[in-house]
Amino acid sequence: MSLPDLKYRRAVVKLSGESLAGRRGFGIDPPVIEELTREIRKVHRSGVRLGLVVGGGNIVRGTVASERGMDRVNADYMGMLATVINAMALQDMLERSGVETRVMSAIRMEALAEPYIRRRALRHIEKGRVVIFAGGTGNPYFSTDTAAVLRAIEMEADVILKATRVDGVYTADPETDPSADLIEEISYLEVMTRELGVMDSAAISLCKDNGLPIVVLNIKRPGAILAALQGDRIGTLVE
């Protein structure tokens, strides 16, 4: 596939930590990561310049831990460390499949990952390496959704893809309400006013202010990421 076949040539994909756990719901399920790796490899081979951001909810979710009595700042830092574990697992699988990958962490830990430096990250992207951004923003009180949008803007991405367990944005939760309807296209403002839960309000506001489109899609559908980058109507477009 040649680059002219692509609508979006530079992208950041936001993966939830839960997507790495599979049916187990906790921890890392290697067969699930292998499947994700195959999808990412297809996208990389198409010529897309790609960044990944993965959450840590399969190991620890800061907001949940704080709701149960833990100090919020400590809980958030634990969540950030969980994203580094997930990033290392993804890097291992990607490099086993022949995809050159770098993990860059907003929290310095040079023995495990490169420190996040924007110019260095851009250089990796330009050289065709997949960059996994770990450690969130490096600050408590910010979600990995916000971190993904921030990195997408800094990497001059054309789009951010939010990978979920469902086919896009619905009028209600499709996993609990069978009458929920898929919304194919929606504005940033409507997402915020209707509180549809695509991303947190800080992330949506950043996208709106910088004109960064969001595509919400089902990560379990083979080829969905590449199809969205080609401009096919996949999932929900937020712009």
Side-chain angles (χ1 to χ4, degrees), residues 131-179:
V131 179
I132 307 175
F133 300 103
T137 65
N139 300 287
Y141 297 100
F142 291 94
S143 71
T144 49
D145 280 347
T146 300
V149 172
L150 181 61
R151 297 294 178 250
I153 294 166
E154 290 176 320
M155 293 303 102
E156 301 170 3
D158 302 316
V159 67
I160 182 164
L161 305 182
K162 174 73 181 287
T164 69
R165 297 180 300 181
V166 294
D167 290 334
V169 180
Y170 285 78
T171 53
D173 185 350
E175 295 183 339
T176 58
D177 184 355
S179 66

Side-chain angles (χ1 to χ4, degrees), residues 74-92:
N74 284 341
D76 280 356
Y77 277 118
M78 288 171 63
M80 290 181 228
L81 293 175
T83 71
V84 178
I85 294 172
N86 286 337
M88 292 174 66
L90 275 171
Q91 180 186 37
D92 181 73

Side-chain angles (χ1 to χ4, degrees), residues 30-98:
V32 171
I33 299 184
E34 287 177 10
E35 189 175 334
L36 278 172
T37 296
R38 284 193 291 271
E39 292 299 308
I40 294 165
R41 187 183 180 192
K42 289 177 190 175
V43 174
H44 180 258
R45 286 188 164 183
S46 75
V48 174
R49 297 295 184 252
L50 191 64
L52 304 175
V53 174
V54 62
N58 57 320
I59 300 172
V60 60
R61 186 180 289 278
T63 53
V64 173
S66 67
E67 288 169 1
R68 295 180 179 176
M70 184 174 287
D71 177 76
R72 173 65 189 270
V73 173
N74 284 341
D76 280 356
Y77 277 118
M78 288 171 63
M80 290 181 228
L81 293 175
T83 71
V84 178
I85 294 172
N86 286 337
M88 292 174 66
L90 275 171
Q91 180 186 37
D92 181 73
M93 287 291 188
L94 283 167
E95 292 196 329
R96 283 169 184 256
S97 71

Side-chain angles (χ1 to χ4, degrees), residues 183 185-198 204 208 238-239:
I183 302 170
E185 192 167 337
I186 192 170
S187 69
Y188 306 111
L189 188 58
E190 193 172 359
V191 166
M192 288 188 285
T193 55
R194 293 175 62 178
E195 298 182 348
L196 291 173
V198 175
I204 295 293
K208 179 177 180 294
V238 184
E239 65 177 0

